[in-house]
Amino acid sequence: MGMRNRQTTTYFLETDVIFTLRTTQTLSSTLAIALLLCTSSVQATDVPSAVLSAQAKRIAAIRKASASTVMVFAAGGKGGGSGVLISPEGYALSNFHVVKPAGAAMKCALNDGQLYDAVVVGVDPVGDVALIKMIGRDDFPFAKMADSDKVRLGDWCFAVGNPFLLATDFQPTVTYGIVSGVHRYQYPAGTLLEYADCIQTDASINPGNSGGPLFNANGDLIGINGRGSFEKRGRVNVGVGYAISINQIKHFLGYLHSGRFLDHATLGANMVTDENGAVVVSNIIESSDAYRRGLRYGDQLLSFGGRPINTVNGFKNALGIYPRGWRVPISFLQDGKQIDTFVRLAGVHSPEELLAKVQPKRKPPAPPQEQEKPKDDPPEAKPPVKNNKKKAFSPEVAPFIEARHGYSNYYFNRLNQNRIWDKYIGLTQADKLLGNWVIAGEIGNLGAATINLQANRVDAKLPQGTTFADLDGELNAQDAPRGSGGMLVALHMWKHIMQVSPARFGEVYYLGSMPTPKHSQKQDVLIGTHSVIECRYYFDPKSGHLTSLEMYPDLGVDPCELYFSDYKEVNGHLLPHHIEVIHGEVTYGELIISSYQFPTVVKGAN
Amino acid sequence: MSRLFVKRLSILRPLLIATLVLSGLASSSQANDLALASNTVQSKMVKIYGAGGLKGLEAYQSGFLISGDGHILTVWSYVLDTDYITIVLDDGRKFEGKIVGADPRLEMAVLKIDSQELDHFSLSKSVVLQPGARILTISNLFGVATGNEPCSVLHGIVAATTTLNARRGAFKSPYQGPVYVLDAISNNPGAAGGALTDSHGNLAGLLGKELRNAQNGTWLNYALPIAQLTTAVEDIIAGRTRPRSFDETVKRPENPHTLKSLGIRMVPDVLTKTPPFVDSITRKSVAEQKGFQPDDLILYLNNRRIDSLNTLINEIALIDKIDHITVVIQRDNNLINITLPGQ
């Protein structure tokens, strides 16, 4: 059987050599003549109006798309590639393997003829995506992101970019084609550069097109070109290019803005196709969230992330588009019974493992000969910049670069932390509510509840009984009240971060954005570690409100989840009056708040 | 000089306008057609897995259904040189494929799976394309698609219709007849056996094997027109190319030809299917007179396919000594017809 041998080699498309092709020159001069002729001789009356309007539409789409296309040139002639602007502030997408050799800063050209400075923001090495920010304008032309799940086999599409780094005149190359395949799966090199659920096209994708946009016929962005199937014909287009779907990148976009090295997700379970064609669990890690949610060996996977699963490749495609840490709906069949639940996805790598793969250790003085190329690198990726000492950045980019271990550019993490926190604290003014908080109300229909949040202790009178948390004790051992997963400690974490601010809370960083089971709109997430407790704070990007908090007493256990709503003003402070407490998918109770008492007494807003 | 240039341009001008009009039309009216055709052809395509897997030899190729009963047209290649051919339909169903017959002269093979009521291309409804016609090629190039995933679709035009022997010695292929030359990069690894259709998804050709120009190293993208294959496919399906010796009721002559009497000595029969290679030729024999040489591979005897040394011996025993024999042999990359007279 030859099926085991079906894996083919694909290669990546950044370029480090400028090819000058005689044929290209000849071709372009011929085209120039043709264009001259056309403008002079084709009259509207010669051509049916449907044709003219179709042509006009195509010209307009290409014109619109070309303006947002970025031509990346790494400093010092270290290659380059392509990219595409997705916001007026200058955020642009490219490939990890294009940005990697360039380092923290690069030069980017647009077809307005201008060369701009740009810095790396976030990097997704597994998905081969990088977010960069171009500097100097707040009105950059940008591409509209389409819904790439609507892309169909046979649709017209076109790539714009910098093949062979030809665009030294800052005019990108446009290649037209059709969509040759959708939902393609291309194996990773080791654990990096996996192209899941990608779009295959016969539009010419050549070295240098990497990181550049693939547009639909309307000129809206459907993917980021990054790789092609080449074998014996050399590193030129053979009619088979692959683009990372823009819908996958939308999932990662918030994460990319966090200025971190991102990881993709694993379910913690392997799937195989059984003899009946069903996709079943062949192996599952007992510490995984999937296991806690009841998934077991032999269960049939029905759907993942809202997609029906019929093949193992289909599962890999459905999984490969999610970042580490997302909570995704899953349905499976167990003993004839369908179970629908949400599952938290773990990372493919441990954080340090990922960093070791993408960020060479900085041990000054670094002996250059020891910088061995990792095996998992794509064949053409250049070894890291030879000068590992602190580089002096130009004054244009220096303010936007902040090196920090574990981050591709900490500047953007801080930027987003401040954006989220400033907005939230502006609403609540809770940093002014120092001292003890006494919350009174009721739990569901069970009866009255009073919770006294003090500096080193939380006391609660609940319908279920009286209980407390000793905040000077071991926080991870206190799950009071029983069954809540630690509601009292979680409430303390909510109050405490507001009173002391993230800077003095512990280590806090911006994770990115993701939906929650209760919010289909992606929420901004801050992760804070205080003592041994990790807390995740979810904020609504529109209103700025804290919508939920997850308190993880330990690794491998279900968190205590608080869902905040019914924000009402209490003496100039916007505070929630409804907190739902969930632990392990089970609602512990709904806290309906009638009053907040602070050291200076304020009345509730009922 | 410049006047000549202008004159040349004025000749070119109508051509350019025509091209523009065509491309304009294509973008407006065919946009939906291509997507529609790309999707409707999928249920007729199959993925074929067989022998190979060594360096540079992919263990897969493409094919398409040509009957509702599971006949599949594909290219004749080393991939089929195994007892275990796996066919995967568009819906992901897997079947064992059997070789019904092959015609190495056309580098074509017909396989069959055990199934019914399958969507298929009808060879009798195939279309003939002119240069400039917009085309789609559908294949599992690079083995990208597995299971129920759709085959890859590339678009382009027919760049030329020509014959493979038009440039003598350039394309070393047993098939030297008419081909469609395409501007799509269609003939990638694994694409052989795929379908060439017009922009509406009507069958026009069979994607050929990878073919490299021996003189300049470039690769050719081409397809065999279906009209070149139809008769051979019909003969194969009707059993007319099947060796007669497979049929036990066939009448045996009292005095048949023998390899010895013809002056042909074959290689030793050491495998279950030993390829019928000539080992040596007896001096002054009929075979020598008619030009047989050592290392010739015998492909056909009286238009019946010889797949092994054993079949060759059995088939010769069915031909009366007074009748002549037509033989097709392969010598290097050339196919040679030889007639041996009756005695």
Side-chain angles (χ1 to χ4, degrees):
Chain A
M1 277 290 300
M3 288 180 71
R4 63 181 174 276
N5 296 308
R6 61 161 289 280
Q7 192 175 340
T8 59
T9 325
T10 56
Y11 296 103
F12 302 89
L13 298 165
E14 97 288 11
T15 176
D16 47 14
V17 186
I18 296 178
F19 291 84
T20 311
L21 297 178
R22 189 177 287 266
T23 47
T24 314
Q25 289 174 338
T26 321
L27 200 70
S28 54
S29 53
T30 318
L31 275 174
I33 295 166
L35 279 172
L36 270 175
L37 272 170
C38 301
T39 44
S40 63
S41 64
V42 178
Q43 303 294 315
T45 49
D46 293 332
V47 183
S49 63
V51 174
L52 287 174
S53 76
Q55 181 177 273
K57 207 178 147 198
R58 182 160 67 175
I59 290 170
I62 290 176
R63 181 169 298 155
K64 177 176 84 170
S66 299
S68 64
T69 300
V70 178
M71 291 145 273
V72 180
F73 296 97
K78 293 193 195 73
S82 309
V84 59
L85 282 156
I86 53 165
S87 84
E89 303 86 40
Y91 287 102
L93 294 169
S94 185
N95 279 141
F96 161 60
H97 79 268
V98 168
V99 164
K100 190 186 177 191
M106 67 212 79
K107 298 278 185 189
C108 291
L110 295 182
N111 76 346
D112 62 5
Q114 300 292 314
L115 192 62
Y116 298 88
D117 281 299
V119 294
V120 169
V121 181
V123 174
D124 169 15
V126 181
D128 196 15
V129 176
L131 183 71
I132 60 176
K133 186 179 189 298
M134 289 166 62
I135 296 161
R137 281 170 70 176
D138 55 10
D139 62 343
F140 281 106
F142 62 98
K144 184 182 152 203
M145 292 188 269
D147 179 357
S148 57
D149 283 340
K150 292 204 175 123
V151 172
R152 282 198 314 164
L153 189 65
D155 280 353
W156 289 108
C157 61
F158 62 99
V160 191
N162 189 10
F164 304 114
L165 302 188
L166 284 175
T168 44
D169 60 351
F170 301 170
Q171 296 307 310
T173 300
V174 181
T175 47
Y176 223 85
I178 63 167
V179 172
S180 297
V182 290
H183 303 303
R184 292 297 194 215
Y185 182 80
Q186 290 288 295
Y187 283 86
T191 53
L192 301 186
L193 307 168
E194 175 190 51
Y195 279 48
D197 207 40
C198 60
I199 301 167
Q200 180 193 342
T201 181
D202 72 352
S204 285
I205 305 294
N206 279 300
N209 272 110
S210 262
L214 186 69
F215 292 104
N216 64 17
N218 294 329
D220 297 329
L221 185 61
I222 56 173
I224 297 295
N225 304 310
R227 104 190 230 185
S229 284
F230 312 126
E231 281 184 356
K232 49 203 156 203
R233 303 190 188 185
R235 289 187 65 228
V236 290
N237 170 54
V238 292
V240 187
Y242 299 100
I244 303 151
S245 77
I246 202 66
N247 281 18
Q248 172 183 323
I249 294 173
K250 284 178 197 165
H251 288 161
F252 280 86
L253 205 51
Y255 277 58
L256 285 164
H257 276 281
S258 73
R260 297 181 304 121
F261 292 103
L262 311 178
D263 200 359
H264 278 234
T266 169
L267 181 62
N270 291 337
M271 301 291 160
V272 290
T273 310
D274 73 1
E275 63 272 17
N276 303 320
V279 178
V280 298
V281 178
S282 64
N283 202 354
I284 181 159
I285 300 170
E286 290 192 13
S287 61
S288 65
D289 194 49
Y291 190 87
R292 284 199 295 280
R293 300 281 75 79
L295 188 68
R296 291 294 181 275
Y297 173 86
D299 289 355
Q300 184 189 344
L301 187 61
L302 299 174
S303 78
F304 184 87
R307 285 191 191 188
I309 301 298
N310 301 309
T311 63
V312 174
N313 261 11
F315 168 64
K316 284 182 182 169
N317 276 337
L319 178 65
I321 58 175
Y322 290 109
R324 168 201 185 107
W326 270 41
R327 260 176 114 178
V328 176
I330 186 173
S331 297
F332 53 93
L333 205 58
Q334 189 172 71
D335 303 328
K337 207 180 109 196
Q338 181 173 334
I339 299 172
D340 305 310
T341 183
F342 280 84
V343 64
R344 289 184 171 84
L345 302 175
V348 176
H349 309 84
S350 77
E352 287 306 318
E353 193 186 354
L354 182 68
L355 285 180
K357 287 191 177 198
V358 297
Q359 208 182 30
K361 283 238 161 61
R362 287 178 190 171
K363 272 192 242 157
Q369 69 271 21
E370 278 182 20
Q371 287 186 355
E372 214 173 280
K373 195 171 156 182
K375 274 192 191 131
D376 294 335
D377 265 14
E380 310 83 349
K382 287 273 153 277
V385 186
K386 52 181 181 283
N387 182 4
N388 259 350
K389 283 175 216 157
K390 265 199 177 168
K391 268 205 297 190
F393 294 106
S394 70
E396 289 79 24
V397 300
F400 301 97
I401 298 174
E402 218 172 306
R404 190 167 193 168
H405 180 71
Y407 292 86
S408 47
N409 190 346
Y410 186 70
Y411 171 84
F412 290 94
N413 200 282
R414 205 165 40 77
L415 190 74
N416 282 291
Q417 284 181 43
N418 293 345
R419 166 180 66 83
I420 294 160
W421 194 257
D422 291 351
K423 187 162 183 182
Y424 178 57
I425 218 69
L427 294 168
T428 61
Q429 304 277 331
D431 52 337
K432 297 182 181 81
L433 296 171
L434 301 174
N436 299 348
W437 294 9
V438 180
I439 300 170
E442 57 180 87
I443 292 216
N445 299 318
L446 295 175
T450 312
I451 299 167
N452 188 358
L453 295 163
Q454 302 146 73
N456 53 2
R457 191 179 161 90
V458 182
D459 282 301
K461 274 185 211 155
L462 305 174
Q464 295 95 329
T466 306
T467 183
F468 70 97
D470 174 10
L471 303 174
D472 292 333
E474 287 183 20
L475 289 176
N476 57 346
Q478 309 200 45
D479 59 352
R482 186 165 297 170
S484 71
M487 178 183 88
L488 298 188
V489 174
L491 284 169
H492 169 72
M493 291 300 174
W494 167 57
K495 182 199 79 161
H496 187 62
I497 197 169
M498 287 192 280
Q499 290 187 330
V500 301
S501 86
R504 284 165 48 217
F505 177 77
E507 194 200 328
V508 176
Y509 68 95
Y510 174 58
L511 176 78
S513 59
M514 67 170 92
T516 75
K518 289 183 184 291
H519 307 97
S520 57
Q521 164 88 27
K522 281 187 276 183
Q523 308 286 299
D524 278 316
V525 186
L526 293 182
I527 294 191
T529 307
H530 176 75
S531 172
V532 292
I533 305 278
E534 184 184 288
C535 289
R536 296 184 169 212
Y537 299 86
Y538 294 77
F539 298 87
D540 183 76
K542 276 207 184 108
S543 70
H545 280 306
L546 180 73
T547 52
S548 64
L549 184 163
E550 289 174 350
M551 193 275 296
Y552 290 79
D554 224 329
L555 284 176
V557 298
D558 287 326
C560 172
E561 302 167 32
L562 306 181
Y563 291 89
F564 303 92
S565 58
D566 195 15
Y567 273 86
K568 285 187 276 204
E569 197 183 316
V570 183
N571 285 9
H573 306 276
L574 268 176
L575 295 170
H577 286 70
H578 187 280
I579 304 176
E580 187 176 358
V581 184
I582 297 180
H583 178 56
E585 306 283 307
V586 180
T587 301
Y588 170 79
E590 291 181 43
L591 181 61
I592 298 149
I593 297 168
S594 50
S595 74
Y596 282 91
Q597 273 189 308
F598 304 109
T600 44
V601 183
V602 281
K603 257 268 184 229
N606 273 6
Chain B
M1 178 74 190
S2 62
R3 224 193 307 162
L4 189 67
F5 184 65
V6 171
K7 199 173 168 191
R8 275 190 189 158
L9 283 184
S10 62
I11 296 166
L12 274 172
R13 191 178 297 185
L15 264 177
L16 278 164
I17 295 167
T19 315
L20 267 180
V21 170
L22 277 174
S23 60
L25 270 175
S27 64
S28 61
S29 66
Q30 296 193 337
N32 294 330
D33 283 356
L34 288 192
L36 191 67
S38 303
N39 288 283
T40 53
V41 293
Q42 293 292 341
S43 56
K44 301 164 185 171
M45 301 303 301
V46 302
K47 305 163 186 97
I48 300 173
Y49 301 90
L54 298 169
K55 200 169 159 58
L57 294 175
E58 293 76 21
Y60 53 85
Q61 64 186 39
S62 308
F64 50 87
L65 288 155
I66 53 170
S67 84
D69 300 331
H71 288 97
I72 291 161
L73 182 60
T74 184
V75 294
W76 173 247
S77 82
Y78 65 86
V79 174
L80 306 180
D81 200 7
T82 168
D83 291 335
Y84 304 100
I85 298 170
T86 303
I87 307 291
V88 179
L89 299 187
D90 174 59
D91 58 14
R93 279 186 293 162
K94 270 185 200 171
F95 290 89
E96 188 186 341
K98 292 276 179 217
I99 300 177
V100 180
D103 192 331
R105 294 167 293 189
L106 297 166
E107 295 209 285
M108 163 276 280
V110 177
L111 314 181
K112 187 163 183 327
I113 56 171
D114 193 11
S115 188
Q116 265 112 43
E117 293 179 17
L118 297 168
D119 198 5
H120 63 278
F121 287 113
S122 175
L123 294 189
S124 60
K125 288 180 189 159
S126 67
V127 293
V128 176
L129 302 177
Q130 301 301 322
R134 188 175 282 285
I135 53 100
L136 294 173
T137 71
I138 308 99
S139 73
N140 190 21
L141 40 73
F142 294 108
V144 172
T146 60
N148 65 350
E149 294 164 6
C151 285
S152 296
V153 183
L154 274 62
H155 85 296
I157 60 161
V158 174
T161 54
T162 181
T163 56
L164 273 186
N165 59 4
R167 288 193 66 187
R168 198 170 292 266
F171 295 108
K172 288 184 174 156
S173 156
Y175 177 76
Q176 290 288 331
V179 288
Y180 294 120
V181 176
L182 312 173
D183 78 339
I185 310 178
S186 52
N187 298 53
N188 273 301
L196 171 77
T197 73
D198 66 9
S199 58
H200 303 286
N202 297 309
L203 183 66
L206 172 73
L207 293 179
K209 293 198 249 187
E210 283 188 280
L211 204 49
R212 190 175 203 176
N213 188 316
Q215 289 160 5
N216 62 18
T218 54
W219 298 85
L220 187 71
N221 298 302
Y222 70 104
L224 280 67
I226 292 298
Q228 296 299 312
L229 308 171
T230 309
T231 309
V233 171
E234 284 166 356
D235 284 350
I236 288 170
I237 292 177
R240 287 191 285 269
T241 62
R242 233 169 135 247
R244 284 190 300 166
S245 51
F246 288 13
D247 182 357
E248 287 184 0
T249 62
V250 71
K251 219 176 124 195
R252 286 161 192 279
E254 278 180 27
N255 276 317
H257 282 283
T258 62
L259 286 166
K260 197 174 175 185
S261 67
L262 292 166
I264 301 170
R265 207 184 133 149
M266 303 299 289
V267 293
D269 192 4
V270 289
L271 305 168
T272 39
K273 275 191 171 184
T274 307
F277 276 107
V278 173
D279 191 43
S280 61
I281 301 295
T282 312
R283 286 202 157 202
K284 293 178 184 168
S285 65
V286 187
E288 190 191 51
Q289 284 167 21
K290 294 297 174 187
F292 267 91
Q293 292 179 11
D295 294 335
D296 285 348
L297 178 66
I298 297 175
L299 296 178
Y300 282 85
L301 215 62
N302 285 352
N303 273 328
R304 291 183 188 274
R305 171 92 182 96
I306 304 300
D307 63 348
S308 69
L309 190 52
N310 197 33
T311 310
L312 175 71
I313 292 162
N314 290 336
E315 283 300 297
I316 285 208
L318 296 179
I319 304 170
D320 198 301
K321 211 164 187 170
I322 57 166
D323 293 330
H324 71 274
I325 311 172
T326 60
V327 189
V328 178
I329 57 156
Q330 183 177 342
R331 186 177 295 158
D332 299 324
N333 260 322
N334 302 313
L335 295 182
I336 298 165
N337 289 288
I338 295 178
T339 305
L340 296 167
Q343 290 160 9

